[in-house]
Amino acid sequence: SSRFRIASIGKTYTAVMIMQLAEEQKLKLSETLDKYFPQIPNASKITIMQILLHRSGIPNLSREWDPQRNWANGITKDEMIALIAKATPDFEPDSKQSYSNSGYFLLSLILEKISGKTYAEALDDRIVSKIGLSDTYIETGFIDVTKNESLTYIQTDGNWRQVPETHPSIAYGAGQIMSTPNDMVKFIQAMFDGKLVSKESLKQMETIRDGEGLGIVTFTFADRIFYGNTGGGDNYGSWLAYQPEEKLAVAYTTNAKIYPVVNIVSGAIDIYYGREFQIPTFETIVVSPEVLDKYVGVYSNSEAPVKFTISRKDTMLFIQAGNESPTMIEATAPDKFQMLGGSVVFEFDTEKKQMIIKRSGGERIFTK
């Protein structure tokens, strides 16, 4: 019954409501953005379809767009539109694909313009009430634990601390929904059962181009293709996946990421299908201060924009990226350390004065 911010999975809900408007012939996916927001650069060339597919060229929102703003208190819709209008496009519409929260922010406002309802009212009318969701709604302010809403935490220096909240108004239709895993599976099941959109609309949504469908992406788990979406923000993590042939819906939420969410979801699905699964041991060791001191220093790579500082406190080693706060890394061997449950690994070679950082995307060598 704990409720979580599901972040970018909210884009799937927004896409569903846009497809509903198209079915009602209240908009066309081929119509251009200038019908609603002519002040946005390239608006006469950007279609609704391109925004859904992250092919609009509308740059992804960055707080650097307005560094003087106190982002902790959120932003109004008009202020956000003004910021997007001032931003330089990333590329010509449909020439490539690049993830854009800003585009989905605009889609939520188009939904409001056409329906005459707020995004919260539209969500309730078009999805929540329609299929009987009891714990899904728009988060308008900060987390309220009296409503079973979950705060988010991060582990640093071996201790858990609460993460400062991102105000939900910054995401809006790009990821402002509060929900539970129970409601999430009801939603995606209803979507694939034709209770929210037609078969024709669903087929459009699940047609993938450059890794993106209309508010949907695909995953491969247990050698099967799943459709759904993922979300993350502050230290929340969420995952929603559906295997249509077997009608298997999987939802996961967390408010304290420490082990890769994809590994947890993949592991749960492997167990479901009776596949071999090795439970992580999370074993760490203690390394003497004398050995740790050999790793202390500043490391850089000419191709990396940031330097890493390694420091020691007692028998603990810390890594600091640029001016960020130091984060403790755990030893799994005298010269090997990890963070985030092993999703990032650091190996030290004192003879070469090198630190190798390994993650899913590959590895990079930094020199002391």
Side-chain angles (χ1 to χ4, degrees):
S1 61
S2 294
R3 295 162 172 169
F4 296 79
R5 287 182 176 174
I6 63 173
S8 284
I9 292 178
K11 291 181 176 67
T12 309
Y13 295 68
T14 298
V16 162
M17 292 188 284
I18 292 294
M19 297 306 287
Q20 289 173 342
L21 292 178
E23 290 177 14
E24 295 161 13
Q25 299 185 333
K26 293 177 180 176
L27 65 68
K28 294 180 179 179
L29 301 185
S30 60
E31 66 190 27
T32 51
L33 185 59
D34 57 338
K35 181 176 180 179
Y36 307 98
F37 297 105
Q39 69 270 47
I40 305 298
N42 284 337
S44 62
K45 296 187 282 185
I46 296 171
T47 66
I48 301 297
M49 174 69 87
Q50 289 163 2
I51 300 175
L52 285 165
L53 285 167
H54 297 286
R55 302 185 66 85
S56 65
I58 298 171
N60 193 33
L61 168 69
S62 167
R63 299 186 192 195
E64 295 174 3
W65 290 2
D66 189 358
Q68 307 305 316
R69 162 179 294 281
N70 180 6
W71 286 93
N73 295 326
I75 190 169
T76 68
K77 299 172 194 175
D78 288 340
E79 289 172 332
M80 180 65 86
I81 293 168
L83 286 179
I84 297 173
K86 284 197 301 183
T88 303
D90 283 342
F91 50 82
E92 281 296 299
D94 208 34
S95 63
K96 60 176 73 171
Q97 183 267 336
S98 183
Y99 199 82
S100 178
N101 287 301
S102 310
Y104 270 77
F105 192 103
L106 294 175
L107 286 177
S108 59
L109 301 187
I110 291 171
L111 170 68
E112 292 184 334
K113 281 175 178 275
I114 294 174
S115 67
K117 298 181 178 181
T118 65
Y119 185 86
E121 291 168 340
L123 178 73
D124 187 66
D125 181 45
R126 292 177 169 275
I127 295 177
V128 173
S129 298
K130 202 173 220 180
I131 58 175
L133 304 182
S134 56
D135 295 299
T136 301
Y137 52 90
I138 288 297
E139 182 72 4
T140 56
F142 293 113
I143 293 296
D144 183 351
V145 294
T146 66
K147 295 180 180 178
N148 279 346
E149 296 174 358
S150 304
L151 295 164
T152 181
Y153 300 85
I154 193 168
Q155 191 182 65
T156 55
D157 305 349
N159 298 307
W160 289 99
R161 63 177 175 83
Q162 189 178 328
V163 176
E165 292 180 48
T166 298
H167 197 279
S169 64
I170 297 171
Y172 212 51
Q176 195 185 0
I177 292 177
M178 183 75 68
S179 192
T180 63
N182 282 331
D183 268 13
M184 290 161 67
V185 294
K186 287 179 185 176
F187 163 73
I188 202 163
Q189 183 77 60
M191 189 174 82
F192 276 85
D193 281 350
K195 295 178 181 177
L196 294 173
V197 293
S198 67
K199 287 184 178 180
E200 293 73 24
S201 292
L202 181 63
K203 190 172 182 179
Q204 278 186 292
M205 292 181 71
E206 61 185 13
T207 300
I208 305 299
R209 185 180 177 194
D210 291 339
E212 291 283 346
L214 309 187
I216 285 178
V217 295
T218 58
F219 321 103
T220 301
F221 293 124
D223 298 326
R224 295 162 173 84
I225 300 297
F226 286 74
Y227 294 86
N229 215 335
T230 65
D234 298 334
N235 207 29
Y236 294 101
S238 53
W239 206 293
L240 181 59
Y242 187 76
Q243 214 297 314
E245 287 77 24
E246 301 182 32
K247 296 186 179 294
L248 174 65
V250 182
Y252 175 80
T253 53
T254 177
N255 62 335
K257 288 185 290 187
I258 191 170
Y259 185 72
V261 173
V262 63
N263 292 5
I264 294 171
V265 175
S266 175
I269 292 172
D270 279 344
I271 292 168
Y272 172 82
Y273 283 114
R275 290 161 65 99
E276 185 177 339
F277 177 73
Q278 183 66 48
I279 297 175
T281 60
F282 303 107
E283 289 180 357
T284 59
I285 64 171
V286 176
V287 180
S288 70
E290 291 77 19
V291 174
L292 295 180
D293 282 339
K294 296 177 182 178
Y295 309 140
V296 171
V298 179
Y299 294 77
S300 63
N301 178 308
S302 59
E303 297 179 356
V306 67
K307 294 181 179 180
F308 289 95
T309 301
I310 300 294
S311 58
R312 176 185 69 83
K313 181 180 179 183
D314 300 325
T315 57
M316 296 179 291
L317 205 63
F318 294 84
I319 188 164
Q320 179 180 2
N323 294 320
E324 294 181 9
S325 300
T327 299
M328 188 182 75
I329 54 179
E330 301 173 307
T332 56
D335 59 350
K336 186 181 293 185
F337 298 77
Q338 69 175 23
M339 65 185 292
L340 300 176
S343 62
V344 185
V345 173
F346 307 86
E347 290 186 8
F348 292 91
D349 186 330
T350 53
E351 287 188 9
K352 296 181 180 178
K353 294 187 176 181
Q354 290 179 342
M355 174 179 67
I356 305 168
I357 301 180
K358 298 180 178 181
R359 56 180 72 203
S360 58
E363 63 179 53
R364 181 171 279 184
I365 297 174
F366 291 79
T367 304
K368 189 171 174 178

